[in-house]
Amino acid sequence: MRWQGRRGSRNIEDRRGRRSRGGRVGMTGGAGGLGLIAVVLIGWYFGIDVSPFLQGGGTQSSVTQSRPISEAEQREAEFVSVVLADTEEVWADLFRTQVGTNYDAPTLVLFSGVTQSPCGGASGATGPFYCPADRKAYLDTSFFTTLEQQLGAGGDFAAAYVIAHEVSHHVQNELGILGQANRIRAQSSEQQSNAISVRVELQADCYSGIWAREAQARFNSLERGDIEEAVNAARQIGDDRLQRSQGKVPMPHTFTHGTSEQRAGWFAIGYEEGRIEACDTFSAQSL
């Protein structure tokens, strides 16, 4: 991915270097029947924060320590800033031309280790997430290492897909989709709520595809193999693949983000179509 030398975003809140020591302990009581490991894996799906489910029965350390930012971390922050700036330009134009309104860009919080949000505590274990309460995306860039080494989805554009996916949840929030979906989920059975969550996540994948298309058209940022990196990342975090990686038989009624094929497929729809209306997963008869 070609990203060096381009504008970076000002909508970055950098909390790195302010790291809590110790953190929350005794959290297993809040995980319920899912089990702590399963809940943590949900955080790897690039979805909404799961840490509120991890907060039962523990105490939070208030001791913090400062540390210098490494050169590698600084480069990661510059990369994130450029990708975020790209999303700002792309979605501002798409909102003008396809929605007929202005786009209010989110803030992205960079943190190391653990931090707090209105949606609950965030840590490297929960993975990147978007919190609609404060309209911010949260990212510990060490997740990029997890993405490559544990999930088998390395590369700059795979990392950019992670950022674009979380920004896509903000796009859903701006359009009123996310709030409506969450209200319906709160009144639904667990299985129905899961099914709605799948459609929310697949739509975010589709929006990510739109961003990839526009990023190439505007900035000529894609290199050979970049789309394959993003599609591979989408495949690697499918519910069916993640459940198989735990030695389980995939159980569709428990899916919250969609299968590998669905995630890759909806990213491809967004990339090929380039239209917000093409990403209406809620009206789709077949996902």
Side-chain angles (χ1 to χ4, degrees), residues 228-250:
E228 288 77 7
E229 284 182 6
V231 170
N232 177 57
R235 290 183 186 278
Q236 294 301 327
I237 44 81
D239 287 318
D240 53 338
R241 186 180 294 269
L242 286 170
Q243 289 187 359
R244 287 193 185 97
S245 72
Q246 300 174 60
K248 299 178 180 178
V249 175

Side-chain angles (χ1 to χ4, degrees), residues 216-239:
Q216 173 62 7
R218 289 171 174 272
F219 314 114
N220 191 31
S221 56
L222 272 63
E223 297 178 301
R224 183 185 299 272
D226 279 348
I227 292 299
E228 288 77 7
E229 284 182 6
V231 170
N232 177 57
R235 290 183 186 278
Q236 294 301 327
I237 44 81
D239 287 318

Side-chain angles (χ1 to χ4, degrees), residues 43-267:
W44 285 354
Y45 292 3
F46 309 157
I48 297 173
D49 180 26
V50 300
S51 50
F53 296 103
L54 303 177
Q55 293 179 351
T59 59
Q60 179 70 42
S61 169
S62 61
V63 179
T64 60
Q65 58 185 9
S66 298
R67 63 172 182 81
I69 303 300
S70 69
E71 290 185 10
E73 288 175 315
Q74 185 58 37
R75 184 179 183 276
E76 289 171 341
E78 292 171 359
F79 169 78
V80 170
S81 179
V82 169
V83 173
L84 186 63
D86 288 355
T87 68
E88 291 165 355
E89 292 190 33
V90 165
W91 286 112
D93 184 64
L94 290 174
F95 267 55
R96 282 194 301 268
T97 59
Q98 297 189 19
V99 183
T101 188
N102 292 328
Y103 173 67
D104 187 10
T107 295
L108 191 148
V109 178
L110 286 175
F111 69 95
S112 298
V114 296
T115 194
Q116 291 296 315
S117 83
C119 295
S123 73
T126 61
F129 69 94
Y130 174 71
C131 178
D134 62 0
R135 302 165 61 84
K136 294 179 180 180
Y138 289 77
L139 172 66
D140 183 339
T141 54
S142 65
F143 183 75
F144 296 152
T145 301
T146 299
L147 189 67
E148 179 175 6
Q149 297 183 358
Q150 297 186 31
L151 299 180
D156 281 351
F157 205 72
Y161 159 72
V162 173
I163 300 165
H165 182 96
E166 298 313 322
V167 170
S168 293
H169 284 309
H170 178 72
V171 171
Q172 292 173 313
N173 201 27
E174 285 282 279
L175 294 173
I177 296 170
L178 190 59
Q180 184 177 1
N182 285 338
R183 285 191 293 272
I184 296 173
R185 288 181 61 202
Q187 302 171 9
S188 303
S189 67
E190 181 178 358
Q191 186 170 343
Q192 290 172 328
S193 177
N194 289 345
I196 294 169
S197 178
V198 166
R199 292 178 184 266
V200 168
E201 296 299 328
L202 294 180
Q203 185 177 65
D205 284 328
C206 188
Y207 287 169
S208 300
I210 294 177
W211 167 79
R213 176 192 178 103
E214 293 297 316
Q216 173 62 7
R218 289 171 174 272
F219 314 114
N220 191 31
S221 56
L222 272 63
E223 297 178 301
R224 183 185 299 272
D226 279 348
I227 292 299
E228 288 77 7
E229 284 182 6
V231 170
N232 177 57
R235 290 183 186 278
Q236 294 301 327
I237 44 81
D239 287 318
D240 53 338
R241 186 180 294 269
L242 286 170
Q243 289 187 359
R244 287 193 185 97
S245 72
Q246 300 174 60
K248 299 178 180 178
V249 175
M251 298 178 289
H253 69 282
T254 67
F255 291 173
T256 57
H257 287 64
T259 67
S260 295
E261 293 304 315
Q262 288 171 337
R263 301 204 69 170
W266 279 99
F267 177 90

Side-chain angles (χ1 to χ4, degrees), residues 269-282:
I269 289 172
Y271 184 77
E272 293 165 3
E273 296 288 338
R275 296 177 295 109
I276 293 174
E277 63 182 15
C279 296
D280 185 4
T281 56
F282 295 92

